[in-house]
Amino acid sequence: MRMRAEAKDPVLLALVALGVLLAPWFLLGPGGAVTPWVLQAGIDIAMAYFAWRLATHAEMTADGRRFWRVVLLACASCAVGDTYQTVLMLAQPGSTRISLVQTAFVVVGMATVVAATLRHPLVGVGRQRLRLWFDAATVLTAVAVFLWYFLLATELSGRQAADRWAASATAVVMLLITFGLLKLILSGTAPFTRTAGVLASFGVAGTALAAPVTTGLLGDPGPGLMTVVQLLPCVLTAFSLRLQQSQVRRLAERQNAMLGRRSSRMPYLAVIATQVLLVVSLRDGMIDLRVWGVAIGTAAITALVLGRQVAALRDNERLLSQIDEQSERFRALVQHTSDLTLVIDGSSTVSYASPAAQRVLGIPAEDLVGQVLHARTHPDDVPRVSVLERRLAAHPGTGITMQVRWRHADGSYRWMDIVSTDLRHNPSVRGVVLNARDATEARALNDELERQATHDALTGLGNRVLLHRRLTEATGAVGMLLIDLDGFKEINDRHGHHAGDQVLRTVAERLTGLLGRGEVAARLGGDEFAVLLPGTGVTESGQLAEQIAAVLAEPMMIGQTWLTVGASIGVSAGEPGDGDDLLRQADAAMYRRKNQRRAERREQQQPADA
């Protein structure tokens, strides 16, 4: 999609059209001596505008904006020089002399670009930078060798002193610009994409080499062709700036990719190209100044490559030493830690187990590898583990905690605190990492504290807290029984509190034996009990109340004495959200029942008194 958008950019299309029309205009059309300077000045102004847009782009980094501000100054300097030359040509139509003012402004602009490329910051420190300098120097030497063979050797041997100085100056500027561009491309910090950078490199190189190379190949190319080969590199440079303006959003992605890749193929390609050039230069068997230059350059590149390899070998030795130290440290830490570390694959098969497996699960680590972890998980915990696996898949790299039970070698189950992290995307791990700690004792303590908070210490029944919790969790209609023991106070007074406690425990046992699954008995305090009956109406609750009253009225052996108690039971039914109201209704019904029993006892006692 991005490439399509760039292909439809009207400015890029206009620059392409300009480059295509240069040849017919100057080779077949009217051409002219002033027109090239007008086009050159216009191209310079366009490049200055593109550089300004890049220097002020919101998504450009601070270093990138600084670089493009310097490029803006360079383009502006060239625009001033070429505009001055254009005005001079218009004022003196027959003149072909290039003004020193124009030359000065262009030289200042080129020098500014050199400064910008050389001063741009590098990635890394120390030996990373040393390798970068070796790579850049290798490629730069190869460029110098080719420049010597195809241009400088001929220029220095067959021209006047002024021409030799001009050729040498051109070569120096070219080498400096090439070195700066190489440094940015190899470092991964270039404020331009690779495509835009390569096009700009060809454009900048063409402004210096196009004319002498064309002259060397064709002799006298004529003013029309010379104008075309001088303007085309300028158009290409402007094209690269406009292209970079449309690729700013890619720049951060490209730099992040380059940061993880510290090596480049360019130095190796430079070595191969230089070796091939040396073979080609020796094909005639004549050793002249050109061949000596290639041979010396090849020797220099060989020395640079050897230096780079020596530095790389030392870095590798240092890296291997550090890896050995880290591995030994990791091994010592894992060997003596009390936590168990496992790595499992997508089928929950253990691919790595730390030595703590022996202490935690009673299994040697090597025996645990290859086992399916689900087979060691408590059946009741498998559904929760499946939920955890789905959460891990949805949030890779995030640690998720849970408690599960794993089977010990002795057959018992141990509660484990587990932190799970999905690192299957990490090529160094390729699995789910589990860090497990034995939490059996902590879980038992927590369960005991929870039981004490929700159960009566004397009878083991639930207390008021548990009763309200079960009411909150209930769905649908519920029945409620409120039980108050009759005659319990007399037992306490006559036989002591120890006997009373025994009576309460016996009542709790009989209540528990009468209840079904999901039904809850609770001691509310003293001799008062409650029973919660989920899914039960008034009729069914009343029938159970009569059964409970009959069972509790049966004599019980306390010590060496048979004792009996009665039970007044109130019944209510309703929705679980009305828990307090259900208790009040049952309490009122219980007192009505208690008063009714008292009245019945009085009626039974009156005939006896009579």
Side-chain angles (χ1 to χ4, degrees):
M1 294 298 291
R2 290 177 178 175
M3 292 302 296
R4 292 179 182 176
E6 292 159 5
K8 296 179 180 179
D9 187 345
V11 179
L12 291 178
L13 294 176
L15 290 172
V16 171
L18 176 61
V20 172
L21 293 175
L22 284 177
W25 178 266
F26 288 101
L27 295 179
L28 304 176
V34 179
T35 305
W37 290 105
V38 174
L39 290 175
Q40 183 66 67
I43 293 172
D44 291 340
I45 294 172
M47 288 193 297
Y49 173 74
F50 297 152
W52 173 74
R53 291 294 301 271
L54 288 167
T56 57
H57 201 289
E59 297 186 36
M60 184 66 68
T61 63
D63 291 331
R65 288 194 293 270
R66 189 180 304 112
F67 174 87
W68 288 111
R69 282 196 294 268
V70 176
V71 174
L72 169 61
L73 293 176
C75 294
S77 178
C78 293
V80 171
D82 291 335
T83 302
Y84 177 84
Q85 183 67 28
T86 302
V87 174
L88 192 63
M89 295 293 291
L90 291 173
Q92 303 174 5
S95 175
T96 59
R97 185 179 62 87
I98 298 177
S99 170
L100 290 177
V101 175
Q102 186 269 349
T103 303
F105 274 103
V106 172
V107 169
V108 169
M110 297 294 288
T112 305
V113 173
V114 171
T117 56
L118 294 180
R119 289 178 57 84
H120 197 72
L122 296 175
V123 173
V125 295
R127 302 191 69 85
Q128 291 180 356
R129 289 196 176 188
L130 177 62
R131 293 195 297 271
L132 173 62
W133 288 115
F134 268 120
D135 291 343
T138 301
V139 180
L140 180 63
T141 304
V143 172
V145 169
F146 275 81
L147 196 62
W148 169 266
Y149 184 80
F150 288 104
L151 179 65
L152 284 181
T154 304
E155 292 284 343
L156 293 178
S157 61
R159 296 292 187 92
Q160 299 294 326
D163 294 333
R164 289 199 297 268
W165 280 108
S168 301
T170 301
V172 169
V173 172
M174 270 301 303
L175 289 176
L176 288 175
I177 293 177
T178 303
F179 182 76
L181 292 175
L182 287 173
K183 187 199 76 167
L184 296 181
I185 293 173
L186 292 174
S187 69
T189 62
F192 45 76
T193 61
R194 182 176 294 274
T195 303
V198 170
L199 292 177
S201 300
F202 279 112
V204 173
T207 58
L209 294 178
V213 169
T214 303
T215 302
L217 294 175
L218 302 179
D220 184 10
L225 181 57
M226 185 61 70
T227 300
V228 172
V229 298
Q230 288 177 332
L231 285 177
L232 276 177
C234 299
V235 175
L236 183 59
T237 304
F239 183 91
S240 68
L241 293 182
R242 176 62 182 182
L243 181 64
Q244 178 55 50
Q245 185 182 335
S246 63
Q247 292 182 340
V248 173
R249 291 182 178 85
R250 291 196 213 172
L251 194 55
E253 300 174 3
R254 187 194 65 83
Q255 288 179 342
N256 290 336
M258 287 294 294
L259 289 178
R261 185 178 61 194
R262 297 296 185 190
S263 61
S264 172
R265 298 183 181 90
M266 293 180 63
Y268 304 101
L269 295 176
V271 172
I272 295 173
T274 307
Q275 298 287 344
V276 172
L277 181 60
L278 179 60
V279 173
V280 172
S281 66
L282 293 172
R283 70 184 185 280
D284 297 331
M286 296 178 58
I287 301 179
D288 55 8
L289 188 61
R290 298 170 68 195
V291 176
W292 275 111
V294 175
I296 293 173
T298 304
I301 286 180
T302 303
L304 289 171
V305 171
L306 288 176
R308 173 68 168 83
Q309 294 305 314
V310 169
L313 288 174
R314 291 182 178 178
D315 291 342
N316 289 339
E317 291 175 357
R318 185 181 298 106
L319 179 61
L320 290 174
S321 177
Q322 292 175 354
I323 291 175
D324 290 340
E325 292 177 0
Q326 292 176 358
S327 298
E328 184 61 30
R329 182 182 305 169
F330 174 78
R331 190 179 300 108
L333 291 174
V334 172
Q335 187 75 30
H336 297 92
T337 184
S338 59
D339 293 349
L340 171 61
T341 300
L342 301 178
V343 179
I344 61 175
D345 58 19
S347 61
S348 295
T349 301
V350 179
S351 59
Y352 169 80
S354 65
Q358 182 70 53
R359 291 192 296 273
V360 176
L361 297 177
I363 306 172
E366 56 272 15
D367 293 344
L368 190 57
V369 173
Q371 294 190 20
V372 178
L373 198 57
H374 282 175
R376 306 199 69 84
T377 304
H378 194 284
D380 294 343
D381 295 338
V382 171
R384 292 193 298 118
V385 171
S386 300
V387 174
L388 172 67
E389 291 174 346
R390 290 193 293 270
R391 290 176 58 194
L392 283 172
H395 302 88
T398 303
I400 300 178
T401 61
M402 72 175 304
Q403 278 194 345
V404 298
R405 285 164 287 185
W406 285 347
R407 189 175 70 252
H408 192 271
D410 60 9
S412 64
Y413 282 92
R414 303 291 180 90
W415 279 102
M416 309 298 296
D417 278 327
I418 300 176
V419 179
S420 305
T421 307
D422 189 351
L423 296 180
R424 283 176 287 190
H425 61 282
N426 188 327
S428 300
V429 181
R430 297 190 183 279
V432 178
V433 179
L434 307 178
N435 293 306
R437 174 174 296 180
D438 192 339
T440 304
E441 295 182 359
R443 179 67 183 235
L445 177 60
N446 182 76
D447 291 346
E448 177 60 23
L449 293 175
E450 175 71 14
R451 193 196 67 78
Q452 292 179 8
T454 57
H455 288 74
D456 177 57
L458 176 63
T459 63
L461 298 178
N463 57 18
R464 191 180 295 271
V465 173
L466 181 64
L467 182 67
H468 280 282
R469 183 179 298 176
R470 293 292 186 267
L471 269 171
T472 303
E473 296 171 354
T475 57
V478 296
M480 180 72 71
L481 306 181
L482 196 62
I483 305 170
D484 186 76
L485 299 182
D486 297 330
F488 178 75
K489 185 176 181 302
E490 289 78 2
I491 294 176
N492 258 343
D493 294 341
R494 181 176 301 177
H495 301 282
H497 290 284
H498 178 71
D501 292 345
Q502 286 286 86
V503 170
L504 293 175
R505 282 192 285 268
T506 303
V507 169
E509 292 174 1
R510 293 182 178 181
L511 273 178
T512 303
L514 293 173
L515 300 183
R517 184 178 179 84
E519 298 173 341
V520 179
R523 182 189 176 204
L524 303 183
D527 60 350
E528 192 173 57
F529 298 83
V531 177
L532 176 64
L533 306 172
T536 305
V538 175
T539 303
E540 295 86 349
S541 300
Q543 293 173 353
L544 180 61
E546 293 177 358
Q547 186 178 0
I548 289 174
V551 171
L552 294 184
E554 294 177 0
M556 57 188 73
M557 175 65 70
I558 304 298
Q560 300 297 324
T561 307
W562 288 97
L563 300 176
T564 59
V565 293
S568 298
I569 304 176
V571 180
S572 64
E575 295 300 321
D578 303 328
D580 292 336
D581 188 52
L582 287 175
L583 283 172
R584 284 192 295 269
Q585 293 178 18
D587 186 65
M590 182 267 294
Y591 276 106
R592 288 195 298 270
R593 178 58 180 166
K594 185 180 287 290
N595 292 332
Q596 181 182 356
R597 287 169 58 85
R598 289 174 180 172
E600 290 174 354
R601 284 197 298 270
R602 283 196 299 269
E603 290 176 359
Q604 293 173 358
Q605 291 174 357
Q606 286 176 359
D609 294 339

